[in-house]
Amino acid sequence: SIFIPFDLLLSGAVCVLNVAVSVNNDHNSKNRETADVVSGNGSKPFPWDKMRLPKHVIPVHYDLLLHPNLTTLTFTGFARIEITVNQQTSSVILHSKHLQITRATIQRRMGNSHTEKEVMVLEYPPFEQIALLAAFPLHVGQNYTVSIEYSANLSESFHGFYKSTYRTQEGEVRVLASTQFEPTAARMAFPCFDEPSFKARFSIKIRREPKHLALSNMPIVKFVNVADWLVEDHFDVSVKMSTYLVAFIVSDFKSVSKMTTSGIKISVYTVPDKINQADYALDAAVKLLDFYENYFSIPYPLPKQDLAAIPDFQSGAMENWGLTTYRESALLYDPEKSSASNKLWITMIIAHELAHQWFGNLVTMEWWNDLWLNEGFAKFMEYVSVSITHPDLKVEDYFLGKCFDAMEVDALNSSHPVSTPVEDPAQIQEMFDDVSYEKGACILNMLRDYLNADVFKAGLVQYLRKYSYQNTKNEDLWNSLAHASISWGGGDGFCTRNQQTSSSAHWTRREILDVTTMMNTWTLQKGFPLVTVTVKGKNVHLQQEHYMKGSDSSPSTGYLWHVPLTYITSKSDTVQRFLLTTKTDVLILPEEVEWIKFNVGMNGYYIVHYENDGWDALISLLKENHTAISSNDRASLINNVFQLVSIGKLSVSKALDLSLYLKHESQIMPVFQGMNELIPMYKLMEKRDMDDVENQLKGYIVNLFKDLIDKQSWNDEGSVSERMLRNSLLLFACARKYQPCVDKAEEYFMKWKESNGTLRLPNDVKTAVYAVGAQTIEGWDFLFSKYRLPWFHTEINQIEFALSISRNKDKLQWIMDQSLLGDVVKTQNLPDIIVYVAKNPSGYHLAWNFLKEHWNKLVQKFELGSPSIAHMVIGVTNQYSTREQLAEVKEFFNSLEEKSSQLRCVQQAVETIEENIRWMDINFEKIKIWLQNNM
């Protein structure tokens, strides 16, 4: 085989391979003829000049044989692709990346005769495409078979067909090979039409050593002993699906299995030493698959669903059809050692990936511009499913937090519409963000609240049935939902989640039917509306505008949403509804009220400003009787009041006035939201010389939550939300050096250390205990010695956090360096570790320098545009608030090649720093004065 040196190819150069053809189509032939490479600008121009593939040729079926060698870390492959021709052509354009092609043919099937012809292969690396040039025209309606033989190295990154390793309890390092193809990496494992709309069936064969096990999307139907040391597994033919959903793993994993009610075999696979942590995921997956089959009224179409925990994995999980893959921490649960938040996270992730088996796999977006149709739905369905299958987790409590996360990025000018044109792989990667996932889920939740749950569900079922095994666009979904609302008789008697009846303000039939017009306002324009409410007697004047942060955030013209408003008042807790479709409108109340609260339960993706004394009335309500409105309504008021400070609609002193009520708050979401608004204020000050005010502000926040902190027991008792609240409060108190907390944590750490780590610490207080213990060098070293042991695996994230908040700069630098090396600390955890260090007042310079020095390595490992890169760029810089820091960030990113400097996350980082500068300029003195008056 001939190696094509990709790094030597000039950008835009075309590589020409003259591939000799053997009439013998046996791909195991020993007399294999090799390709001659004509280097550089060959005589033939590449026959296609677009990033997207032509539709001239459509794949119908792939026969794939792959043979990975886990010793040499290479693999050989043979792809036989049956194609149909839609438009006469003499070339077949498909994707290939880092594959060394050694042989290629095109075979025409005419009756019983098969003619196989020599082809020339051209390669165009900038578009990751190859062209097979036939010596004869390919005719419309004819069937042909393309055969390509190739070899490659197992990828060293986290995408394509890549190498992963783990260490056994005895210390032996073992190698496995796994895949991650979404969005554009199937082309790194086999030549293919690597776009979502080119759906086909797949027959996969994998060669492996007898000691290994191979997995793929479908069950094994037979295996063949090719030699004493080599087995070939044949997997059943798949259903029709997109290339990014293909998966295979060669490993020595062990598994546990159960059957669902309808007879689907569910198995959880993991490294042998961790198989005792697989039971929770197995039970959750069985419950969730049963739920989805029932909810969607469409049977799961495969005979099995495997869930595999991969030791090296970049994202949280991946929905490959029939073989979902996960980070170990996203799948494995130890009842003895895992925290309440671990249980919640694992359940939600499994729910997300299994929802994809319908949304994404059965029905797939036509192109990546509508990625939200996959991800927004799966994120939304996490909450719908888990609230039924695991009611004890109370997931509905956390949904509005997702909307706040989305609004944070959606408030910037650098945001994008939910549905956005994308072309190249980096742009596609950038779509995997809070707008596609969280905003997508929030607008679907708003739509369900608007249509009602039954109509919404009927529309989804109609959509999934109509488009099974096909690809869709935005409007296909809206049409299905509109049809469902007609057949359900329009909008009579719609109600909120808690079944309170809506009295006078039913939606009209016309309003319900125009789902497309309404939802286009939420998916085709970026951002979200700010609704300003002015009460004059019984008249409520409404006005909407585009909420946008930034110095030039004069209201954007041309932005208008169809906003399904909901409200309650001091006189009635029955949810009323009003559809705002114009810039201004007026609604009339039956009687005058003391207060009015819009966006009930935060079911709508908008924020609200109350003019005149509207905010004062709500602040008084919170102060006097905060439980008169729900905890979600309280959390949304906390969020909204601070967002209004950012755009100059309210003074920071008004927002701080509202925060005073938190002294009496005990529910998780309002407490978390209070912390999320207040802590970043002193985090900005930590990176500037503002010790006095910073310490006063820290003291104020500790004092605000002191009573609640003092009430926390140091054990694992209570509901999931009580346990998560305990974990966060104790960590916060210890980090802020609240002495009773520090003393208790130190006492626990000393006892744990004296037991050489054998003492069982309560799971929900571990993070606080480790964080305090790691503040001394001796404590840090002891904690790290435990980090390396396999039985501390479930605590890896907590230990990494504690190690990253040390004040010792040498330790911080060392842990980042080790993460990049990937031997002791897994490189998959590097993005989190860098961000932890960046949030540390002793580490933020180190994290920024690390990001700059290792930028090229990080991009190579995590891919340009990926969520991991975005997490690092934004996480390292989002607490900067000086003009010097802004200049330094701009200078570095401007020095990079255009593809890096133009990343959306870079624009977000710059905008965030500019906003922080503006915010501090306006609010710092006001905070100082307010604290003096209220401490």
Side-chain angles (χ1 to χ4, degrees):
S1 65
I2 303 293
F3 175 68
I4 306 162
F6 277 73
D7 51 346
L8 298 182
L9 290 175
L10 295 168
S11 177
V14 172
C15 236
V16 182
L17 290 76
N18 279 310
V19 183
V21 178
S22 160
V23 184
N24 173 6
N25 197 30
D26 171 16
H27 56 268
N28 299 317
S29 167
K30 296 280 189 294
N31 305 317
R32 192 175 292 166
E33 297 193 61
T34 58
D36 299 317
V37 177
V38 181
S39 62
N41 295 310
S43 53
K44 291 270 188 184
F46 197 80
W48 188 247
D49 62 355
K50 294 180 178 63
M51 185 77 76
R52 298 279 297 274
L53 296 179
K55 304 278 191 197
H56 305 162
V57 170
I58 303 292
V60 177
H61 184 270
Y62 291 79
D63 256 311
L64 302 176
L65 169 68
L66 291 113
H67 180 189
N69 185 321
L70 301 187
T71 307
T72 62
L73 304 180
T74 57
F75 67 96
T76 55
F78 179 76
R80 185 190 282 118
I81 312 169
E82 290 174 31
I83 58 171
T84 297
V85 179
N86 283 345
Q87 186 180 326
Q88 184 167 312
T89 179
S90 55
S91 62
V92 178
I93 316 292
L94 64 167
H95 288 110
S96 171
K97 184 180 179 184
H98 300 333
L99 303 178
Q100 296 115 49
I101 293 167
T102 49
R103 184 162 172 265
T105 64
I106 294 182
Q107 185 185 77
R108 178 170 45 193
R109 296 196 304 279
M110 297 177 70
N112 292 326
S113 67
H114 297 254
T115 57
E116 196 168 36
K117 295 280 187 176
E118 166 178 352
V119 294
M120 176 183 278
V121 182
L122 304 185
E123 185 159 18
Y124 190 60
F127 287 179
E128 301 174 357
Q129 291 172 359
I130 55 172
L132 310 186
L133 304 187
F136 50 87
L138 308 180
H139 295 291
V140 176
Q142 290 279 335
N143 293 328
Y144 298 87
T145 301
V146 170
S147 299
I148 304 172
E149 210 168 318
Y150 60 96
S151 62
N153 294 320
L154 286 172
S155 169
E156 289 288 331
S157 64
F158 299 103
H159 42 274
F161 193 16
Y162 70 93
K163 176 194 83 168
S164 175
T165 60
Y166 73 94
R167 202 179 289 271
T168 65
Q169 289 189 356
E170 295 71 43
E172 178 197 351
V173 174
R174 291 189 183 168
V175 179
L176 60 126
S178 185
T179 58
Q180 169 62 40
F181 292 158
E182 190 181 33
T184 60
R187 63 193 70 171
M188 294 173 69
F190 56 97
C192 56
F193 298 79
D194 201 9
E195 293 179 8
S197 62
F198 288 106
K199 290 192 171 185
R201 292 174 179 269
F202 294 82
S203 298
I204 295 173
K205 302 182 186 77
I206 306 271
R207 291 185 170 180
R208 59 173 174 87
E209 291 180 61
K211 67 177 180 180
H212 287 135
L213 161 88
L215 297 171
S216 187
N217 306 81
M218 300 299 289
I220 289 179
V221 284
K222 69 168 185 174
F223 65 89
V224 178
N225 290 311
V226 180
D228 289 346
W229 51 272
L230 196 62
V231 178
E232 185 175 287
D233 290 322
H234 294 221
F235 294 90
D236 208 348
V237 60
S238 77
V239 293
K240 195 176 169 190
M241 65 184 190
S242 305
T243 47
Y244 77 86
L245 294 170
V246 173
F248 29 87
I249 301 169
V250 176
S251 69
D252 65 343
F253 285 175
K254 293 276 182 281
S255 66
V256 289
S257 304
K258 273 188 180 176
M259 303 297 275
T260 67
T261 310
S262 59
I264 308 296
K265 185 181 181 184
I266 309 278
S267 305
V268 176
Y269 285 85
T270 176
V271 302
D273 291 343
K274 295 173 185 171
I275 194 64
N276 63 332
Q277 296 167 26
D279 291 337
Y280 179 77
L282 181 63
D283 290 339
V286 168
K287 274 187 189 175
L288 284 158
L289 204 74
D290 276 339
F291 170 83
Y292 286 132
E293 283 201 307
N294 179 47
Y295 184 89
F296 294 132
S297 307
I298 297 171
Y300 175 73
L302 309 187
K304 60 96 174 174
Q305 170 64 240
D306 298 334
L307 299 84
I310 312 298
D312 298 277
F313 201 84
Q314 183 171 338
S315 60
M318 177 62 208
E319 67 264 23
N320 317 300
W321 214 344
L323 175 55
T324 52
T325 48
Y326 303 76
R327 260 189 192 220
E328 289 185 328
S329 60
L331 193 67
L332 304 181
Y333 180 81
D334 183 341
E336 292 295 306
K337 291 187 171 180
S338 298
S339 67
S341 56
N342 288 144
K343 179 186 263 192
L344 179 69
W345 195 50
I346 289 166
T347 316
M348 299 294 269
I349 287 178
I350 294 170
H352 183 100
E353 303 315 324
L354 296 186
H356 271 311
Q357 308 302 298
W358 285 265
F359 271 101
N361 300 11
L362 184 66
V363 179
T364 313
M365 76 266 138
E366 192 164 298
W367 179 244
W368 300 105
N369 61 310
D370 279 331
L371 173 69
W372 85 276
L373 285 174
N374 279 19
E375 297 302 350
F377 255 106
K379 177 61 67 179
F380 172 68
M381 288 307 300
E382 290 175 26
Y383 291 87
V384 175
S385 59
V386 176
S387 65
I388 305 293
T389 60
H390 296 76
D392 56 307
L393 295 179
K394 290 204 165 29
V395 289
E396 54 279 6
D397 287 355
Y398 312 109
F399 188 81
L400 76 166
K402 297 295 170 195
C403 305
F404 297 147
D405 291 344
M407 285 173 160
E408 195 170 326
V409 294
D410 209 17
L412 300 173
N413 193 33
S414 53
S415 186
H416 62 92
V418 167
S419 184
T420 300
V422 287
E423 276 283 298
D424 66 48
Q427 290 171 342
I428 293 167
Q429 282 278 4
E430 286 191 303
M431 290 298 285
F432 290 79
D433 67 356
D434 280 354
V435 173
S436 294
Y437 285 70
E438 271 75 10
K439 181 178 179 177
C442 292
I443 62 175
L444 289 169
N445 182 57
M446 178 171 68
L447 182 59
R448 181 170 82 149
D449 188 54
Y450 170 70
L451 293 175
N452 102 7
D454 291 332
V455 173
F456 184 79
K457 178 178 169 180
L460 296 193
V461 171
Q462 197 178 107
Y463 168 79
L464 288 171
R465 283 187 173 155
K466 183 173 181 180
Y467 297 106
S468 290
Y469 304 104
Q470 296 176 54
N471 297 81
T472 57
K473 296 176 177 169
N474 252 347
E475 54 265 33
D476 299 321
L477 175 63
W478 308 143
N479 291 339
S480 294
L481 287 163
H483 287 146
S485 69
I486 295 168
S487 56
W488 278 71
D492 274 347
F494 288 144
C495 53
T496 57
R497 204 77 44 87
N498 58 8
Q499 300 300 307
Q500 290 171 315
T501 55
S502 179
S503 66
S504 58
H506 293 167
W507 304 121
T508 66
R509 181 182 287 267
R510 184 192 59 75
E511 286 167 341
I512 287 296
L513 296 191
D514 212 357
V515 173
T516 303
T517 305
M518 174 182 165
M519 293 311 292
N520 281 346
T521 71
W522 297 97
T523 58
L524 302 183
Q525 58 186 359
K526 69 183 177 187
F528 55 90
L530 162 63
V531 177
T532 299
V533 175
T534 313
V535 181
K536 293 177 180 171
K538 288 195 279 189
N539 289 4
V540 181
H541 295 261
L542 304 165
Q543 180 184 334
Q544 63 160 302
E545 62 191 271
H546 181 194
Y547 176 95
M548 192 164 77
K549 290 181 180 175
S551 48
D552 55 350
S553 61
S554 50
S556 319
T557 52
Y559 278 79
L560 198 65
W561 285 265
H562 286 201
V563 192
L565 298 174
T566 54
Y567 61 95
I568 52 175
T569 70
S570 56
K571 296 289 170 68
S572 169
D573 61 1
T574 300
V575 178
Q576 305 292 334
R577 297 172 179 274
F578 187 88
L579 189 66
L580 179 65
T581 59
T582 50
K583 188 163 177 57
T584 60
D585 210 335
V586 180
L587 69 84
I588 299 161
L589 300 172
E591 57 188 319
E592 291 193 15
V593 296
E594 289 162 40
W595 56 262
I596 187 165
K597 163 72 174 74
F598 275 82
N599 201 357
V600 181
M602 187 68 198
N603 276 334
Y605 189 72
Y606 59 94
I607 65 172
V608 185
H609 176 39
Y610 302 90
E611 281 279 19
N612 301 337
D613 59 355
W615 274 109
D616 291 335
L618 289 165
I619 290 169
S620 297
L621 174 70
L622 290 174
K623 198 172 168 185
E624 290 155 22
N625 180 22
H626 67 276
T627 56
I629 56 175
S630 72
S631 64
N632 278 5
D633 279 321
R634 303 196 297 271
S636 75
L637 287 175
I638 296 164
N639 170 273
N640 287 192
V641 78
F642 281 95
Q643 301 320 303
L644 293 165
V645 173
S646 292
I647 57 165
K649 294 274 185 187
L650 282 179
S651 75
V652 73
S653 52
K654 184 73 75 183
L656 289 167
D657 287 345
L658 183 143
S659 75
L660 284 164
Y661 106 89
L662 285 164
K663 196 149 182 62
H664 308 290
E665 184 58 84
S666 61
Q667 295 300 304
I668 187 166
M669 286 316 290
V671 170
F672 276 9
Q673 200 53 39
M675 288 178 150
N676 288 344
E677 301 296 350
L678 294 166
I679 290 172
M681 288 162 60
Y682 73 68
K683 281 289 179 187
L684 293 180
M685 296 175 196
E686 278 183 341
K687 295 171 178 59
R688 298 166 64 155
D689 191 15
M690 298 177 160
D691 290 357
D692 289 351
V693 181
E694 174 199 323
N695 289 330
Q696 266 189 302
L697 183 56
K698 287 175 178 174
Y700 168 69
I701 303 169
V702 170
N703 192 46
L704 207 53
F705 297 113
K706 178 181 173 298
D707 293 348
L708 197 55
I709 292 164
D710 290 342
K711 281 181 193 157
Q712 299 307 310
S713 57
W714 288 63
N715 57 35
D716 290 336
E717 288 167 11
S719 67
V720 170
S721 62
E722 285 167 343
R723 292 177 61 188
M724 285 170 61
L725 185 61
R726 174 186 302 133
N727 177 43
S728 293
L729 282 170
L730 294 180
L731 178 60
F732 166 74
C734 285
R736 291 286 54 82
K737 305 208 169 22
Y738 177 54
Q739 209 54 49
C741 182
V742 173
D743 292 346
K744 189 86 172 166
E746 279 179 344
E747 182 191 338
Y748 263 117
F749 190 80
M750 288 312 297
K751 285 181 180 169
W752 180 70
K753 188 165 170 280
E754 283 161 13
S755 76
N756 197 24
T758 58
L759 177 75
R760 188 183 175 280
L761 293 171
N763 297 324
D764 300 324
V765 306
K766 273 179 193 165
T767 316
V769 171
Y770 293 160
V772 168
Q775 292 306 303
T776 67
I777 288 177
E778 189 189 355
W780 197 98
D781 289 341
F782 181 76
L783 193 57
F784 184 73
S785 72
K786 298 302 163 202
Y787 173 85
R788 301 191 61 169
L789 301 174
W791 41 92
F792 282 92
H793 159 78
T794 52
E795 297 163 54
I796 272 181
N797 294 346
Q798 292 153 301
I799 297 176
E800 280 172 355
F801 174 77
L803 296 173
S804 304
I805 61 170
S806 163
R807 301 287 167 172
N808 185 303
K809 292 183 179 180
D810 292 340
K811 297 289 189 193
L812 298 176
Q813 186 63 49
W814 188 84
I815 192 99
M816 288 192 294
D817 291 341
Q818 289 301 314
S819 309
L820 190 59
L821 286 173
D823 181 27
V824 183
V825 181
K826 287 275 187 191
T827 304
Q828 65 176 16
N829 301 336
L830 176 61
D832 284 337
I833 288 171
I834 290 180
V835 173
Y836 294 150
V837 173
K839 303 283 184 245
N840 180 342
S842 303
Y844 69 97
H845 289 303
L846 301 174
W848 171 237
N849 288 332
F850 188 91
L851 186 72
K852 288 190 295 184
E853 282 169 31
H854 299 290
W855 178 258
N856 290 335
K857 276 187 192 166
L858 295 171
V859 166
Q860 201 178 352
K861 191 77 182 173
F862 293 105
E863 277 199 302
L864 199 64
S866 70
S868 302
I869 292 289
H871 180 57
M872 288 185 276
V873 169
I874 293 163
V876 167
T877 60
N878 69 357
Q879 291 173 355
Y880 291 174
S881 65
T882 69
R883 285 163 181 81
E884 295 74 29
Q885 288 164 333
L886 175 64
E888 199 180 330
V889 170
K890 280 182 166 177
E891 184 187 1
F892 171 67
F893 286 109
N894 287 339
S895 73
L896 301 174
E897 57 150 354
E898 190 182 0
K899 270 194 167 178
S900 289
S901 64
Q902 296 303 308
L903 287 172
R904 187 182 291 123
C905 65
V906 172
Q907 296 166 39
Q908 286 172 345
V910 168
E911 257 193 279
T912 301
I913 301 169
E914 288 171 344
E915 170 61 19
N916 290 345
I917 293 169
R918 212 173 57 82
W919 197 94
M920 288 292 277
D921 286 350
I922 293 167
N923 296 309
F924 180 71
E925 286 300 323
K926 293 176 184 172
I927 294 168
K928 188 175 174 181
I929 293 164
W930 190 91
L931 288 169
Q932 285 166 358
N933 294 336
N934 288 274
M935 287 289 280

